[in-house]
Amino acid sequence: MPKYRRYNWPHLLSEFEKSELTQVEFCKQHNVNPKYFSIKLSERKKAQAFATVVVQPHKEPTQPQPLDKLIIEIGQCKIHCPAAMSIPNLVALVKSLT
């Protein structure tokens, strides 16, 4: 029966990203199951992608009107939403984008 090991995943994944090794090479050197490592790496990338979503009120610089819309930007994608959009709807929208 294989031994259960506890890893410091944030540290291990950071070390992998700093290295120039493939996932398989890194896993062999650190005695980690490559399939499980891949799962943890994917989870980290999803979490980082979610963390980079920025929602800011949008105001046209040339118009002195109150805020009338929100723009959610993810990469080159922009989603225009009414400023009066409810918080639960906004949260559901952001979750559906990740």
Coordinates of all heavy atoms in Angstrom, one line a residue:
M1 N 0.8 -1.2 0.0 CA 0.0 0.0 0.0 C 0.9 1.2 0.0 O 1.8 1.4 0.8 CB -0.9 0.0 1.2 CG -1.9 1.1 1.3 SD -3.0 0.7 2.7 CE -4.0 2.1 2.6
P2 N 0.6 2.2 -0.9 CA 1.5 3.4 -1.0 C 1.3 4.3 0.2 O 0.2 4.3 0.8 CB 1.0 4.1 -2.2 CG -0.3 3.5 -2.6 CD -0.4 2.2 -2.0
K3 N 2.4 5.0 0.6 CA 2.3 5.9 1.7 C 1.6 7.2 1.3 O 1.8 7.7 0.2 CB 3.8 6.3 2.1 CG 4.3 5.6 3.3 CD 5.7 6.2 3.6 CE 6.1 5.8 4.9 NZ 7.4 6.3 5.2
Y4 N 0.8 7.7 2.2 CA 0.2 9.0 2.0 C 1.1 10.1 2.4 O 1.7 10.0 3.5 CB -1.1 9.1 2.9 CG -1.8 10.4 2.8 CD1 -2.5 10.7 1.6 CD2 -1.7 11.3 3.8 CE1 -3.1 12.0 1.5 CE2 -2.3 12.6 3.7 CZ -3.0 12.9 2.5 OH -3.6 14.1 2.4
R5 N 1.4 11.0 1.6 CA 2.3 12.1 1.9 C 1.6 13.4 1.8 O 0.7 13.6 1.0 CB 3.4 12.1 0.8 CG 4.3 10.9 0.9 CD 5.5 11.1 0.0 NE 6.4 10.0 0.2 CZ 6.6 9.1 -0.7 NH1 6.1 9.1 -1.9 NH2 7.4 8.1 -0.4
R6 N 2.0 14.3 2.7 CA 1.4 15.7 2.7 C 2.5 16.6 2.1 O 3.6 16.5 2.4 CB 1.1 16.1 4.1 CG 0.0 15.4 4.7 CD -0.3 15.9 6.1 NE -1.3 15.2 6.7 CZ -2.5 15.6 7.0 NH1 -2.9 16.8 6.7 NH2 -3.4 14.8 7.5
Y7 N 2.0 17.4 1.2 CA 2.9 18.3 0.5 C 2.5 19.7 0.7 O 1.3 20.0 0.9 CB 2.9 18.1 -1.0 CG 3.4 16.7 -1.5 CD1 2.6 15.7 -1.8 CD2 4.8 16.5 -1.5 CE1 3.1 14.5 -2.2 CE2 5.3 15.3 -1.9 CZ 4.4 14.3 -2.3 OH 4.9 13.1 -2.7
N8 N 3.4 20.6 0.7 CA 3.1 22.0 0.8 C 2.9 22.5 -0.6 O 3.8 22.9 -1.4 CB 4.3 22.8 1.4 CG 4.1 24.3 1.5 OD1 3.2 24.8 0.9 ND2 4.9 24.9 2.3
W9 N 1.7 22.3 -1.1 CA 1.3 22.5 -2.5 C 1.7 23.9 -3.0 O 2.2 24.0 -4.1 CB -0.1 22.1 -2.8 CG -0.3 20.6 -2.8 CD1 -0.9 19.9 -1.9 CD2 0.2 19.7 -3.8 NE1 -0.8 18.5 -2.2 CE2 -0.1 18.4 -3.4 CE3 1.0 19.9 -5.0 CZ2 0.3 17.3 -4.1 CZ3 1.3 18.7 -5.7 CH2 1.0 17.5 -5.3
P10 N 1.4 25.0 -2.3 CA 1.7 26.3 -2.9 C 3.2 26.4 -3.1 O 3.7 26.9 -4.1 CB 1.2 27.3 -1.8 CG 0.1 26.5 -1.1 CD 0.5 25.1 -1.1
H11 N 4.0 25.9 -2.2 CA 5.5 26.0 -2.3 C 5.9 25.1 -3.5 O 6.8 25.5 -4.3 CB 6.2 25.6 -1.0 CG 7.6 25.5 -1.1 ND1 8.4 26.6 -1.2 CD2 8.5 24.4 -1.2 CE1 9.7 26.2 -1.3 NE2 9.8 24.9 -1.3
L12 N 5.4 23.9 -3.5 CA 5.8 22.9 -4.6 C 5.4 23.4 -5.9 O 6.2 23.4 -6.9 CB 5.1 21.6 -4.3 CG 5.7 20.3 -5.0 CD1 7.1 20.1 -4.5 CD2 4.8 19.1 -4.7
L13 N 4.3 24.0 -6.1 CA 3.8 24.5 -7.4 C 4.7 25.8 -7.8 O 5.0 26.0 -9.0 CB 2.3 24.9 -7.4 CG 1.4 23.6 -7.2 CD1 0.0 24.0 -7.0 CD2 1.6 22.7 -8.4
S14 N 5.0 26.6 -6.8 CA 5.9 27.7 -7.1 C 7.3 27.3 -7.6 O 7.8 27.8 -8.5 CB 6.1 28.6 -5.9 OG 4.9 29.2 -5.5
E15 N 7.8 26.3 -6.9 CA 9.1 25.7 -7.3 C 9.0 25.2 -8.7 O 10.0 25.3 -9.5 CB 9.5 24.6 -6.3 CG 10.0 25.1 -5.0 CD 11.1 26.1 -5.0 OE1 12.1 25.8 -5.7 OE2 11.0 27.2 -4.4
F16 N 7.9 24.5 -9.0 CA 7.8 24.0 -10.4 C 7.8 25.1 -11.4 O 8.4 25.0 -12.5 CB 6.5 23.1 -10.5 CG 6.2 22.8 -12.0 CD1 6.9 21.9 -12.7 CD2 5.1 23.5 -12.6 CE1 6.6 21.7 -14.0 CE2 4.8 23.2 -13.9 CZ 5.5 22.3 -14.6
E17 N 7.0 26.2 -11.1 CA 6.9 27.3 -12.1 C 8.3 28.0 -12.3 O 8.6 28.5 -13.3 CB 5.9 28.2 -11.6 CG 4.5 27.6 -11.8 CD 3.4 28.5 -11.2 OE1 3.6 29.4 -10.4 OE2 2.2 28.1 -11.4
K18 N 9.1 28.0 -11.2 CA 10.5 28.6 -11.3 C 11.4 27.7 -12.1 O 12.3 28.2 -12.7 CB 11.0 28.8 -9.9 CG 10.3 29.9 -9.2 CD 10.9 30.0 -7.8 CE 10.0 31.0 -6.9 NZ 10.5 31.0 -5.5
S19 N 11.2 26.4 -12.0 CA 12.1 25.4 -12.7 C 11.8 25.4 -14.2 O 10.8 25.9 -14.7 CB 11.9 24.0 -12.2 OG 10.7 23.4 -12.7
E20 N 12.7 24.9 -14.9 CA 12.5 24.7 -16.4 C 12.2 23.3 -16.7 O 12.5 22.9 -17.9 CB 13.8 25.3 -17.1 CG 13.9 26.8 -16.9 CD 15.1 27.3 -17.7 OE1 15.7 26.6 -18.6 OE2 15.4 28.5 -17.5
L21 N 11.8 22.5 -15.8 CA 11.5 21.1 -16.0 C 10.1 20.9 -16.5 O 9.2 21.7 -16.3 CB 11.6 20.4 -14.6 CG 13.0 20.4 -13.9 CD1 12.9 19.8 -12.6 CD2 14.1 19.8 -14.8
T22 N 9.9 19.7 -17.1 CA 8.5 19.3 -17.5 C 7.8 18.9 -16.2 O 8.5 18.6 -15.2 CB 8.5 18.2 -18.5 OG1 9.1 17.0 -17.9 CG2 9.3 18.6 -19.8
Q23 N 6.5 18.7 -16.3 CA 5.8 18.2 -15.1 C 6.3 16.8 -14.7 O 6.5 16.6 -13.5 CB 4.3 18.2 -15.4 CG 3.6 19.5 -15.4 CD 2.1 19.4 -15.5 OE1 1.5 18.5 -15.1 NE2 1.5 20.4 -16.2
V24 N 6.5 16.0 -15.7 CA 6.9 14.6 -15.4 C 8.3 14.6 -14.7 O 8.5 13.9 -13.7 CB 6.9 13.8 -16.7 CG1 7.5 12.4 -16.5 CG2 5.5 13.6 -17.3
E25 N 9.2 15.4 -15.3 CA 10.6 15.4 -14.7 C 10.5 16.0 -13.3 O 11.2 15.4 -12.4 CB 11.5 16.3 -15.5 CG 11.8 15.8 -16.9 CD 12.5 16.8 -17.8 OE1 12.4 18.0 -17.6 OE2 13.2 16.3 -18.8
F26 N 9.8 17.0 -13.1 CA 9.6 17.6 -11.7 C 9.0 16.6 -10.7 O 9.5 16.5 -9.6 CB 8.8 18.9 -11.8 CG 8.7 19.6 -10.5 CD1 9.7 20.6 -10.2 CD2 7.7 19.4 -9.6 CE1 9.7 21.3 -9.0 CE2 7.6 20.1 -8.4 CZ 8.6 21.0 -8.1
C27 N 8.0 15.9 -11.2 CA 7.4 14.9 -10.3 C 8.3 13.8 -9.9 O 8.3 13.3 -8.8 CB 6.1 14.4 -11.0 SG 4.8 15.6 -11.0
K28 N 9.1 13.4 -10.9 CA 10.1 12.3 -10.6 C 11.1 12.8 -9.5 O 11.4 12.0 -8.6 CB 10.8 11.9 -11.9 CG 10.0 10.9 -12.7 CD 10.8 10.5 -14.0 CE 9.9 9.7 -14.9 NZ 10.6 9.3 -16.1
Q29 N 11.6 14.0 -9.7 CA 12.6 14.5 -8.8 C 12.0 14.7 -7.4 O 12.7 14.6 -6.4 CB 13.1 15.8 -9.3 CG 14.1 15.7 -10.5 CD 14.7 17.0 -10.8 OE1 14.6 18.0 -10.2 NE2 15.4 17.0 -12.0
H30 N 10.7 15.0 -7.3 CA 10.1 15.3 -6.0 C 9.3 14.2 -5.5 O 8.6 14.3 -4.5 CB 9.4 16.6 -6.0 CG 10.2 17.8 -6.2 ND1 10.7 18.2 -7.4 CD2 10.8 18.6 -5.3 CE1 11.5 19.3 -7.3 NE2 11.5 19.6 -6.0
N31 N 9.3 13.1 -6.2 CA 8.5 11.9 -5.8 C 7.0 12.2 -5.6 O 6.4 11.9 -4.6 CB 9.1 11.3 -4.5 CG 8.7 9.8 -4.4 OD1 8.4 9.1 -5.3 ND2 8.7 9.3 -3.1
V32 N 6.5 12.8 -6.6 CA 5.0 13.2 -6.6 C 4.3 12.5 -7.7 O 4.9 12.3 -8.8 CB 4.9 14.7 -6.8 CG1 3.4 15.2 -6.8 CG2 5.6 15.5 -5.7
N33 N 3.1 12.1 -7.5 CA 2.3 11.4 -8.5 C 2.0 12.5 -9.6 O 1.3 13.5 -9.3 CB 1.0 10.9 -7.9 CG 0.1 10.2 -8.9 OD1 -0.1 10.7 -10.0 ND2 -0.6 9.2 -8.4
P34 N 2.4 12.2 -10.9 CA 2.2 13.2 -11.9 C 0.7 13.6 -12.2 O 0.4 14.7 -12.5 CB 2.8 12.6 -13.2 CG 3.6 11.5 -12.7 CD 3.1 11.1 -11.3
K35 N -0.2 12.6 -12.1 CA -1.6 12.9 -12.3 C -2.2 13.8 -11.2 O -2.9 14.8 -11.5 CB -2.4 11.6 -12.3 CG -2.1 10.8 -13.6 CD -2.9 9.5 -13.6 CE -2.6 8.7 -14.9 NZ -3.3 7.4 -14.9
Y36 N -1.8 13.5 -10.0 CA -2.3 14.4 -8.9 C -1.7 15.8 -8.9 O -2.3 16.8 -8.7 CB -2.0 13.7 -7.5 CG -2.7 14.3 -6.4 CD1 -4.1 14.2 -6.3 CD2 -2.1 15.0 -5.4 CE1 -4.8 14.8 -5.3 CE2 -2.7 15.5 -4.3 CZ -4.1 15.4 -4.3 OH -4.8 16.0 -3.2
F37 N -0.4 15.8 -9.3 CA 0.3 17.1 -9.5 C -0.4 17.9 -10.6 O -0.7 19.1 -10.4 CB 1.7 16.9 -9.9 CG 2.5 18.1 -10.1 CD1 3.1 18.7 -9.0 CD2 2.7 18.7 -11.3 CE1 3.8 19.9 -9.1 CE2 3.4 19.9 -11.4 CZ 4.0 20.5 -10.3
S38 N -0.8 17.3 -11.7 CA -1.5 18.0 -12.7 C -2.8 18.6 -12.3 O -3.2 19.7 -12.6 CB -1.7 17.1 -13.9 OG -2.4 17.7 -15.0
I39 N -3.6 17.8 -11.4 CA -4.8 18.3 -10.9 C -4.6 19.5 -10.0 O -5.3 20.5 -10.1 CB -5.5 17.1 -10.1 CG1 -6.0 16.0 -11.0 CG2 -6.7 17.7 -9.2 CD1 -6.4 14.8 -10.3
K40 N -3.6 19.4 -9.1 CA -3.3 20.6 -8.2 C -2.9 21.8 -9.0 O -3.3 22.9 -8.7 CB -2.2 20.2 -7.2 CG -2.7 19.2 -6.2 CD -3.7 19.9 -5.3 CE -4.0 19.1 -4.1 NZ -5.0 19.8 -3.2
L41 N -2.1 21.6 -10.1 CA -1.7 22.7 -10.9 C -2.9 23.4 -11.7 O -3.0 24.6 -11.7 CB -0.6 22.2 -11.9 CG 0.1 23.3 -12.8 CD1 0.8 24.3 -11.9 CD2 1.0 22.6 -13.8
S42 N -3.8 22.5 -12.1 CA -5.0 23.1 -12.8 C -5.8 23.8 -11.8 O -6.4 24.9 -12.2 CB -5.8 21.9 -13.4 OG -5.1 21.3 -14.4
E43 N -6.0 23.3 -10.6 CA -6.8 24.0 -9.6 C -6.2 25.4 -9.3 O -6.9 26.4 -9.1 CB -6.9 23.2 -8.3 CG -7.7 22.0 -8.4 CD -7.7 21.1 -7.2 OE1 -6.8 21.4 -6.3 OE2 -8.4 20.1 -7.2
R44 N -4.8 25.4 -9.2 CA -4.1 26.7 -8.9 C -4.4 27.7 -10.1 O -4.6 28.9 -9.9 CB -2.7 26.5 -8.7 CG -1.9 27.7 -8.5 CD -0.4 27.4 -8.3 NE 0.4 28.6 -8.2 CZ 1.4 28.8 -7.4 NH1 1.7 27.8 -6.6 NH2 2.1 29.9 -7.4
K45 N -4.3 27.2 -11.3 CA -4.5 28.1 -12.5 C -5.9 28.7 -12.5 O -6.1 29.8 -12.8 CB -4.1 27.4 -13.8 CG -2.6 27.2 -13.9 CD -2.3 26.5 -15.2 CE -0.8 26.3 -15.4 NZ -0.4 25.6 -16.6
K46 N -6.9 27.8 -12.2 CA -8.3 28.3 -12.1 C -8.4 29.4 -11.1 O -9.1 30.4 -11.3 CB -9.2 27.1 -11.9 CG -9.4 26.2 -13.1 CD -10.4 25.1 -12.7 CE -10.5 24.1 -13.9 NZ -11.3 23.0 -13.5
A47 N -7.8 29.1 -9.9 CA -7.9 30.1 -8.8 C -7.3 31.4 -9.2 O -7.8 32.5 -8.9 CB -7.3 29.5 -7.5
Q48 N -6.1 31.3 -9.8 CA -5.4 32.6 -10.3 C -6.2 33.3 -11.3 O -6.3 34.5 -11.3 CB -4.0 32.2 -10.8 CG -3.1 31.8 -9.7 CD -1.7 31.4 -10.2 OE1 -1.6 31.0 -11.4 NE2 -0.7 31.4 -9.3
A49 N -6.9 32.6 -12.2 CA -7.7 33.2 -13.3 C -8.8 34.0 -12.6 O -9.2 35.1 -13.0 CB -8.2 32.2 -14.3
F50 N -9.4 33.3 -11.6 CA -10.6 34.0 -10.9 C -10.1 35.2 -10.2 O -10.8 36.3 -10.2 CB -11.2 33.0 -10.0 CG -12.4 33.6 -9.3 CD1 -13.6 33.8 -9.9 CD2 -12.3 34.0 -7.9 CE1 -14.7 34.4 -9.3 CE2 -13.4 34.6 -7.3 CZ -14.6 34.8 -8.0
A51 N -8.9 35.2 -9.6 CA -8.4 36.3 -8.9 C -8.0 37.5 -9.7 O -8.0 38.6 -9.2 CB -7.2 35.8 -8.1
T52 N -7.9 37.3 -11.0 CA -7.5 38.4 -11.9 C -8.7 39.2 -12.5 O -8.5 40.1 -13.2 CB -6.5 37.9 -13.0 OG1 -7.2 37.0 -13.8 CG2 -5.3 37.4 -12.5
V53 N -9.9 38.7 -12.2 CA -11.1 39.4 -12.7 C -11.2 40.7 -11.9 O -11.2 40.8 -10.7 CB -12.3 38.5 -12.5 CG1 -13.6 39.3 -12.9 CG2 -12.2 37.3 -13.3
V54 N -11.3 41.8 -12.7 CA -11.5 43.2 -12.1 C -12.8 43.7 -12.5 O -13.1 43.8 -13.7 CB -10.3 44.1 -12.5 CG1 -10.5 45.5 -12.0 CG2 -9.0 43.5 -12.1
V55 N -13.6 44.2 -11.5 CA -14.9 44.8 -11.8 C -14.8 46.2 -11.3 O -14.5 46.5 -10.1 CB -16.0 44.1 -11.1 CG1 -17.4 44.8 -11.4 CG2 -16.1 42.6 -11.6
Q56 N -15.0 47.2 -12.2 CA -14.9 48.6 -11.8 C -16.0 49.4 -12.4 O -16.5 49.1 -13.5 CB -13.6 49.2 -12.3 CG -12.3 48.6 -11.7 CD -11.1 49.3 -12.3 OE1 -11.1 49.9 -13.3 NE2 -10.0 49.1 -11.5
P57 N -16.6 50.4 -11.7 CA -17.6 51.2 -12.3 C -16.9 51.9 -13.5 O -15.7 52.3 -13.4 CB -17.9 52.2 -11.2 CG -17.4 51.6 -9.9 CD -16.3 50.7 -10.3
H58 N -17.7 52.2 -14.5 CA -17.1 52.8 -15.7 C -17.8 54.2 -15.9 O -19.0 54.3 -15.8 CB -17.4 51.9 -16.9 CG -16.9 52.5 -18.2 ND1 -15.5 52.6 -18.5 CD2 -17.5 53.1 -19.2 CE1 -15.4 53.2 -19.7 NE2 -16.6 53.5 -20.1
K59 N -17.0 55.1 -16.2 CA -17.5 56.5 -16.4 C -16.8 57.0 -17.6 O -15.6 57.0 -17.7 CB -17.3 57.4 -15.2 CG -17.9 58.8 -15.4 CD -17.7 59.6 -14.1 CE -18.2 61.0 -14.3 NZ -18.0 61.8 -13.2
E60 N -17.5 57.5 -18.6 CA -16.9 58.1 -19.8 C -16.2 59.4 -19.3 O -16.8 60.2 -18.7 CB -18.0 58.4 -20.8 CG -18.7 57.2 -21.4 CD -17.8 56.3 -22.2 OE1 -16.8 56.8 -22.8 OE2 -18.1 55.1 -22.2
P61 N -14.9 59.5 -19.7 CA -14.2 60.7 -19.2 C -14.6 62.0 -19.8 O -14.4 63.0 -19.1 CB -12.7 60.4 -19.7 CG -12.8 59.4 -20.7 CD -14.1 58.6 -20.5
T62 N -15.3 62.0 -20.9 CA -15.7 63.3 -21.5 C -17.1 63.7 -21.0 O -17.6 64.8 -21.4 CB -15.7 63.2 -23.0 OG1 -16.6 62.1 -23.4 CG2 -14.3 62.9 -23.5
Q63 N -17.9 62.9 -20.3 CA -19.2 63.2 -19.9 C -19.3 63.3 -18.4 O -19.0 62.4 -17.7 CB -20.2 62.1 -20.4 CG -20.2 61.9 -21.9 CD -21.0 60.7 -22.4 OE1 -21.6 60.0 -21.5 NE2 -21.1 60.5 -23.7
P64 N -19.8 64.4 -17.9 CA -19.9 64.6 -16.5 C -21.2 64.0 -15.9 O -21.9 64.6 -15.1 CB -19.9 66.1 -16.3 CG -20.5 66.6 -17.6 CD -20.1 65.6 -18.6
Q65 N -21.6 62.8 -16.4 CA -22.8 62.1 -15.9 C -22.5 61.2 -14.8 O -21.3 60.7 -14.7 CB -23.5 61.4 -17.0 CG -23.9 62.3 -18.1 CD -24.5 61.5 -19.3 OE1 -24.4 60.3 -19.3 NE2 -25.0 62.2 -20.3
P66 N -23.4 60.8 -13.9 CA -23.2 59.8 -12.9 C -22.9 58.5 -13.5 O -23.3 58.2 -14.7 CB -24.5 59.8 -12.0 CG -25.5 60.4 -12.9 CD -24.8 61.4 -13.9
L67 N -22.4 57.6 -12.8 CA -22.1 56.2 -13.3 C -23.4 55.6 -13.7 O -24.4 55.5 -13.0 CB -21.4 55.4 -12.2 CG -20.1 55.9 -11.7 CD1 -19.6 55.0 -10.6 CD2 -19.1 55.9 -12.8
D68 N -23.4 55.1 -14.9 CA -24.6 54.4 -15.4 C -24.4 53.0 -15.9 O -25.3 52.3 -16.2 CB -25.2 55.2 -16.6 CG -24.2 55.3 -17.8 OD1 -23.0 55.0 -17.6 OD2 -24.6 55.7 -18.9
K69 N -23.1 52.5 -15.8 CA -22.9 51.1 -16.1 C -21.6 50.6 -15.5 O -20.8 51.4 -15.1 CB -22.8 51.0 -17.7 CG -21.7 51.8 -18.3 CD -21.7 51.7 -19.8 CE -20.8 52.7 -20.4 NZ -20.9 52.7 -21.9
L70 N -21.5 49.3 -15.4 CA -20.3 48.6 -15.0 C -19.7 47.9 -16.2 O -20.5 47.4 -17.0 CB -20.6 47.6 -13.9 CG -21.2 48.1 -12.6 CD1 -21.6 46.9 -11.7 CD2 -20.1 48.9 -11.9
I71 N -18.4 47.9 -16.3 CA -17.8 47.1 -17.3 C -16.9 46.1 -16.7 O -16.0 46.4 -15.9 CB -17.0 48.0 -18.3 CG1 -17.9 49.0 -19.0 CG2 -16.2 47.1 -19.3 CD1 -17.2 50.0 -19.9
I72 N -17.1 44.8 -17.0 CA -16.3 43.7 -16.5 C -15.3 43.4 -17.6 O -15.8 43.0 -18.7 CB -17.2 42.5 -16.1 CG1 -18.2 42.9 -15.0 CG2 -16.3 41.3 -15.7 CD1 -19.2 41.8 -14.7
E73 N -14.1 43.4 -17.3 CA -13.0 43.1 -18.3 C -12.3 41.9 -17.9 O -11.8 41.8 -16.8 CB -12.1 44.3 -18.5 CG -12.7 45.5 -19.0 CD -11.6 46.6 -19.3 OE1 -10.5 46.3 -19.8 OE2 -12.0 47.8 -19.0
I74 N -12.2 40.9 -18.8 CA -11.4 39.7 -18.7 C -10.6 39.6 -19.9 O -11.2 39.2 -21.0 CB -12.2 38.5 -18.4 CG1 -13.1 38.7 -17.1 CG2 -11.4 37.2 -18.3 CD1 -14.1 37.6 -16.9
G75 N -9.3 39.9 -19.9 CA -8.5 39.8 -21.1 C -9.0 40.9 -22.0 O -9.2 42.1 -21.7
Q76 N -9.4 40.5 -23.3 CA -9.9 41.5 -24.3 C -11.4 41.5 -24.3 O -12.0 42.3 -25.1 CB -9.3 41.1 -25.6 CG -7.8 41.3 -25.7 CD -7.3 41.0 -27.1 OE1 -7.9 40.3 -27.9 NE2 -6.1 41.5 -27.4
C77 N -12.0 40.7 -23.5 CA -13.5 40.7 -23.4 C -14.0 41.8 -22.5 O -13.5 41.9 -21.3 CB -13.9 39.3 -22.9 SG -15.7 39.1 -22.8
K78 N -15.0 42.5 -22.9 CA -15.7 43.5 -22.0 C -17.2 43.2 -22.0 O -17.8 43.1 -23.0 CB -15.4 44.9 -22.6 CG -14.0 45.4 -22.5 CD -13.9 46.8 -23.0 CE -12.5 47.3 -23.0 NZ -12.3 48.7 -23.4
I79 N -17.7 43.2 -20.8 CA -19.1 43.0 -20.6 C -19.7 44.2 -19.9 O -19.3 44.6 -18.9 CB -19.4 41.7 -19.7 CG1 -18.8 40.5 -20.4 CG2 -20.9 41.5 -19.5 CD1 -18.8 39.2 -19.6
H80 N -20.7 44.9 -20.6 CA -21.3 46.1 -20.1 C -22.6 45.7 -19.3 O -23.4 45.0 -19.8 CB -21.7 47.0 -21.2 CG -20.5 47.5 -22.0 ND1 -20.0 48.8 -21.8 CD2 -19.6 46.9 -22.8 CE1 -18.9 48.9 -22.6 NE2 -18.7 47.8 -23.2
C81 N -22.6 46.1 -18.1 CA -23.8 45.8 -17.2 C -24.4 47.1 -16.6 O -23.6 48.1 -16.4 CB -23.3 45.0 -16.0 SG -22.5 43.4 -16.5
P82 N -25.7 47.1 -16.3 CA -26.2 48.4 -15.7 C -25.6 48.6 -14.3 O -25.4 47.6 -13.6 CB -27.7 48.1 -15.7 CG -27.8 46.6 -15.8 CD -26.6 46.1 -16.5
A83 N -25.4 49.8 -13.9 CA -24.9 50.1 -12.6 C -25.8 49.6 -11.5 O -25.4 49.4 -10.4 CB -24.6 51.6 -12.5
A84 N -27.1 49.5 -11.8 CA -28.1 49.1 -10.8 C -28.2 47.6 -10.7 O -29.1 47.1 -10.0 CB -29.5 49.7 -11.1
M85 N -27.3 46.8 -11.3 CA -27.4 45.4 -11.3 C -27.2 44.9 -9.9 O -26.3 45.4 -9.1 CB -26.2 44.8 -12.2 CG -26.2 43.3 -12.3 SD -24.9 42.9 -13.5 CE -25.4 41.2 -13.8
S86 N -28.0 44.0 -9.4 CA -27.9 43.5 -8.1 C -26.7 42.7 -7.8 O -26.1 42.1 -8.7 CB -29.2 42.6 -7.7 OG -29.0 41.4 -8.4
I87 N -26.2 42.8 -6.6 CA -25.0 42.1 -6.2 C -25.1 40.6 -6.5 O -24.2 40.0 -7.0 CB -24.6 42.3 -4.7 CG1 -24.4 43.8 -4.4 CG2 -23.4 41.5 -4.2 CD1 -23.2 44.4 -5.2
P88 N -26.2 39.9 -6.1 CA -26.3 38.4 -6.4 C -26.2 38.1 -7.9 O -25.5 37.2 -8.3 CB -27.6 38.0 -5.8 CG -28.0 39.0 -4.8 CD -27.3 40.3 -5.3
N89 N -26.8 39.0 -8.7 CA -26.7 38.8 -10.2 C -25.2 39.0 -10.7 O -24.7 38.3 -11.5 CB -27.6 39.7 -10.9 CG -29.1 39.2 -10.8 OD1 -29.3 38.0 -10.4 ND2 -30.0 40.1 -11.0
L90 N -24.6 40.0 -10.1 CA -23.2 40.3 -10.5 C -22.3 39.2 -10.1 O -21.4 38.7 -10.9 CB -22.7 41.6 -9.8 CG -21.3 42.1 -10.1 CD1 -21.2 42.3 -11.6 CD2 -21.0 43.3 -9.4
V91 N -22.5 38.6 -8.9 CA -21.7 37.5 -8.4 C -21.9 36.3 -9.3 O -21.0 35.6 -9.7 CB -22.0 37.2 -6.9 CG1 -21.4 35.9 -6.5 CG2 -21.5 38.3 -6.0
A92 N -23.2 36.0 -9.6 CA -23.5 34.9 -10.5 C -22.8 35.0 -11.9 O -22.3 34.1 -12.4 CB -25.0 34.7 -10.6
L93 N -22.8 36.2 -12.4 CA -22.2 36.5 -13.7 C -20.7 36.2 -13.6 O -20.1 35.6 -14.5 CB -22.4 37.9 -14.1 CG -21.7 38.4 -15.4 CD1 -22.2 37.6 -16.6 CD2 -22.0 39.9 -15.7
V94 N -20.0 36.8 -12.6 CA -18.6 36.6 -12.5 C -18.2 35.1 -12.3 O -17.3 34.6 -12.9 CB -18.0 37.4 -11.3 CG1 -16.6 37.1 -11.0 CG2 -18.1 38.9 -11.6
K95 N -19.0 34.4 -11.5 CA -18.7 33.0 -11.3 C -18.9 32.2 -12.6 O -18.2 31.3 -12.9 CB -19.7 32.4 -10.2 CG -19.3 32.7 -8.8 CD -20.2 32.1 -7.8 CE -19.8 32.4 -6.4 NZ -20.6 31.7 -5.4
S96 N -19.9 32.6 -13.4 CA -20.1 31.9 -14.7 C -19.0 32.1 -15.7 O -18.8 31.3 -16.6 CB -21.4 32.3 -15.3 OG -21.4 33.6 -15.8
L97 N -18.2 33.2 -15.5 CA -17.1 33.5 -16.4 C -15.8 32.7 -16.1 O -14.9 32.7 -16.9 CB -16.8 35.0 -16.4 CG -17.9 35.9 -16.8 CD1 -17.5 37.4 -16.5 CD2 -18.2 35.7 -18.3
T98 N -15.8 32.1 -14.9 CA -14.6 31.4 -14.5 C -14.7 29.9 -14.7 O -15.8 29.4 -14.8 CB -14.1 31.7 -13.1 OG1 -15.2 31.4 -12.2 CG2 -13.8 33.2 -13.0

